[in-house]
Amino acid sequence: MFAEVLTIGDELLTGHTVDSNSAFIASKLTEQGYWVRRITTVGDDVEEIKAVVGEILARKPEVLVISGGLGPTHDDVTMLAVAEALGRKLVLCEKCLERIKAFYEKLYSEGYIDDPSLNEGRKKMAYLPEGAEPLENTGGAAPGAFIEHKGVKIFVLPGMPREMKAMLEKEVLPRLGRRKFLQRKFLAEITDESKLAPILREALERFNVRIHSSPKGFGKYIGLIIFAEDEGELEKTVEYLESRGIRLEEA
Amino acid sequence: MFAEVLTIGDELLTGHTVDSNSAFIASKLTEQGYWVRRITTVGDDVEEIKAVVGEILARKPEVLVISGGLGPTHDDVTMLAVAEALGRKLVLCEKCLERIKAFYEKLYSEGYIDDPSLNEGRKKMAYLPEGAEPLENTGGAAPGAFIEHKGVKIFVLPGMPREMKAMLEKEVLPRLGRRKFLQRKFLAEITDESKLAPILREALERFNVRIHSSPKGFGKYIGLIIFAEDEGELEKTVEYLESRGIRLEEA
């Protein structure tokens, strides 16, 4: 029941841009009940993307969300690379082409661009891997794609945060199943987090939960996040921690 | 001549924290002349970390920078996992233990903590993979580690940004070689980036450079970053683009 996230863009690998997309995607997947097991970032390079998509598929996640590299320029190669990784052809999505045409005509009529015609780069965005379902982009030209491949739900989204977020909320999340695990955040009152270690270890042995702790400086509060598949296990863990003298406050 | 970055932390996979560390590390490596080829994030899990370190080493980067999971709690398992991935034992670094002891004694004397003693969690931080050189942490308790393993320079740094940044600047960068490739940022004046595509493709065929373009909305400026190993190739590329009617302004 796990998911992976793949973000694509040279600007992420040079550190010019902080990859906030993957955190946004991961938080939404986590809320939806998925355990995000790995986030990977590679550049705008067909061979790199192909390689990493192949590696991810071999780990058999339930869901793979890919973001970035759908635009009209020479370095936007994500759809091509994904198609190649899946052994599928890129095929023209007529509906997408109509949508792209209308998009540029609207920009032209509003004076944003001086040529509304469908040049090579703009047409490129209408090609999706064979068998993909197009995902609507309410904020830009490039459609996304949803592909079910050997049991993995693959979503390919744009990299522009505004476009990616809208597509994730409107097109991706409704296609995913219901919440499968719970998480609850607490502030634990204790002088130093190293004192927590033995108590948390005992809790992990007793209950079917995962616990993440993070220091809040050297003050007396430690942030705890408890993950469980079952409300009962989560409750029992909280009771146990409190019985061991840790004061928990829901955060 | 490439590098990889690995960030570790459950809070990154749940989206609770945006991973700005990897961008910082990537920008410093890029400035130093390294091509960062991939960034990976996994959780605080020994098996996951072992697996991903093994995969990265198999790709034979020159440099691997790992950040996160060096603290005193049960979920800080990075040093153990790295040691296991490399087939090395964890061994006590006496000098590190002294340093950790002094660190907690100072915090105690300043009234930040109520017990300066070296409990299990605090002692744990003094264990490094056999053969590692400790890296000084000027802002926290946990030392980092520098390990040369089968031609890969591996640096293990804390996840707290303040500690990580200081260690990267003071301990990692001085151990890396000089600048090996150049990058220059431009603003290209053009109505729409899809018009750039054929011209950029021609430049890529002619010169030994990499070019990244990113739209700045739908205005008339496109951001370009040109990467080259050689100043001459970079200059020739700029001249060529200008000869094709693209106005470039250094950004």
Side-chain angles (χ1 to χ4, degrees):
Chain A
M1 191 53 55
F2 73 95
E4 295 209 22
V5 178
L6 171 61
T7 51
I8 295 170
D10 287 345
E11 71 282 12
L12 304 173
L13 295 179
T14 57
H16 280 100
T17 301
V18 171
D19 177 18
S20 58
N21 280 359
S22 63
F24 184 85
I25 296 166
S27 72
K28 292 294 171 185
L29 290 174
T30 303
E31 274 173 27
Q32 195 91 357
Y34 288 86
W35 166 35
V36 178
R37 224 175 110 183
R38 197 187 280 212
I39 297 170
T40 312
T41 304
V42 294
D44 300 292
D45 182 291
V46 175
E47 294 309 315
E48 292 286 324
I49 300 169
K50 268 176 72 173
V52 74
V53 169
E55 293 163 28
I56 293 172
L57 293 179
R59 288 190 290 267
K60 301 190 184 301
E62 193 180 342
V63 174
L64 165 60
V65 179
I66 300 173
S67 166
L70 304 192
T73 56
H74 74 101
D75 53 3
D76 291 308
V77 295
T78 299
M79 283 296 179
L80 172 64
V82 169
E84 291 193 5
L86 305 181
R88 300 187 187 210
K89 282 182 293 189
L90 272 185
V91 294
L92 179 67
C93 162
E94 294 283 358
K95 193 174 80 176
C96 303
L97 194 66
E98 286 310 307
R99 173 77 187 65
I100 291 165
K101 208 174 151 197
F103 180 85
Y104 283 107
E105 274 163 5
K106 185 159 184 288
L107 284 182
Y108 177 69
S109 73
E110 289 167 353
Y112 287 110
I113 58 174
D114 64 8
D115 181 359
S117 67
L118 282 184
N119 57 31
E120 189 197 358
R122 290 172 183 172
K123 262 186 223 153
K124 184 186 74 175
M125 296 187 282
Y127 285 82
L128 305 183
E130 195 161 23
E133 188 182 330
L135 301 177
E136 197 183 341
N137 186 343
T138 54
F146 170 46
I147 309 151
E148 294 219 63
H149 188 85
K150 297 186 179 168
V152 185
K153 292 186 175 78
I154 304 171
F155 297 92
V156 190
L157 312 183
M160 289 271 231
R162 192 174 43 88
E163 301 177 25
M164 179 280 293
K165 287 178 184 178
M167 196 180 286
L168 188 77
E169 303 265 17
K170 291 176 196 162
E171 297 277 63
V172 177
L173 298 182
R175 285 177 171 82
L176 294 179
R178 56 164 194 82
R179 184 173 197 97
K180 272 138 202 151
F181 78 82
L182 307 159
Q183 59 170 305
R184 199 111 43 92
K185 291 167 81 173
F186 298 93
L187 275 180
E189 199 178 330
I190 194 158
T191 320
D192 184 84
E193 71 162 337
S194 58
K195 290 189 168 179
L196 265 179
I199 300 172
L200 293 181
R201 203 172 307 119
E202 284 162 32
L204 291 173
E205 279 163 15
R206 264 162 228 253
F207 308 108
N208 185 21
V209 293
R210 304 181 74 214
I211 304 178
H212 174 68
S213 63
S214 57
K216 308 283 176 196
F218 296 105
K220 59 179 186 169
Y221 288 103
I222 305 288
L224 284 188
I225 309 172
I226 305 178
F227 303 91
E229 289 188 24
D230 181 275
E231 183 65 36
E233 289 291 293
L234 209 156
E235 293 286 331
K236 280 188 279 180
T237 306
V238 170
E239 279 165 27
Y240 179 77
L241 294 179
E242 290 187 325
S243 77
R244 295 298 312 272
I246 297 172
R247 257 202 67 218
L248 293 176
E249 197 178 298
E250 197 130 4
Chain B
M1 191 54 57
F2 73 97
E4 295 209 22
V5 177
L6 171 61
T7 51
I8 295 170
D10 287 345
E11 71 282 11
L12 305 172
L13 294 178
T14 57
H16 280 100
T17 302
V18 171
D19 178 19
S20 58
N21 279 0
S22 62
F24 184 85
I25 296 167
S27 72
K28 291 295 172 184
L29 289 174
T30 303
E31 273 174 27
Q32 196 92 357
Y34 288 86
W35 167 35
V36 177
R37 224 175 111 182
R38 196 186 281 212
I39 297 169
T40 313
T41 304
V42 294
D44 299 292
D45 183 293
V46 175
E47 294 309 315
E48 291 287 323
I49 300 168
K50 268 175 72 173
V52 74
V53 168
E55 293 164 27
I56 293 171
L57 294 179
R59 290 191 288 269
K60 300 190 184 301
E62 193 181 341
V63 173
L64 165 59
V65 179
I66 301 172
S67 166
L70 304 192
T73 56
H74 74 102
D75 53 3
D76 290 307
V77 295
T78 298
M79 282 296 179
L80 172 64
V82 169
E84 290 193 6
L86 304 181
R88 300 188 187 208
K89 283 182 292 189
L90 273 185
V91 294
L92 179 67
C93 162
E94 294 282 357
K95 192 175 80 177
C96 303
L97 193 67
E98 286 309 306
R99 172 80 186 61
I100 292 165
K101 208 175 151 195
F103 180 84
Y104 283 106
E105 275 164 6
K106 186 158 181 291
L107 284 182
Y108 177 69
S109 74
E110 289 165 354
Y112 287 110
I113 57 174
D114 64 8
D115 181 359
S117 67
L118 283 183
N119 57 31
E120 189 196 358
R122 291 172 182 172
K123 263 187 222 153
K124 184 185 74 174
M125 297 187 281
Y127 284 81
L128 304 182
E130 196 163 22
E133 188 181 331
L135 301 177
E136 196 181 343
N137 186 342
T138 54
F146 170 47
I147 309 152
E148 295 219 63
H149 189 84
K150 297 183 178 169
V152 185
K153 291 187 175 79
I154 304 171
F155 297 91
V156 190
L157 313 182
M160 289 273 232
R162 192 175 44 90
E163 301 177 25
M164 179 279 293
K165 287 178 184 179
M167 197 180 285
L168 188 76
E169 303 265 17
K170 291 175 196 163
E171 297 276 64
V172 177
L173 299 182
R175 284 176 171 83
L176 294 179
R178 57 167 192 81
R179 184 173 196 97
K180 273 139 201 153
F181 78 83
L182 306 159
Q183 59 171 306
R184 200 117 34 100
K185 292 168 80 172
F186 298 93
L187 276 180
E189 200 178 330
I190 195 157
T191 320
D192 184 86
E193 71 161 336
S194 59
K195 291 191 167 177
L196 264 179
I199 301 172
L200 293 182
R201 204 172 305 117
E202 284 162 33
L204 291 174
E205 279 162 17
R206 264 163 228 252
F207 308 108
N208 184 22
V209 294
R210 304 181 73 212
I211 304 178
H212 174 69
S213 63
S214 56
K216 307 284 176 197
F218 296 105
K220 59 178 185 169
Y221 288 103
I222 304 288
L224 285 188
I225 309 171
I226 306 178
F227 303 90
E229 290 188 24
D230 181 276
E231 184 65 37
E233 289 291 293
L234 209 156
E235 293 285 331
K236 279 188 280 178
T237 307
V238 171
E239 280 165 26
Y240 179 77
L241 294 178
E242 290 186 324
S243 77
R244 295 297 312 273
I246 298 172
R247 256 202 67 218
L248 294 176
E249 197 178 297
E250 197 129 5

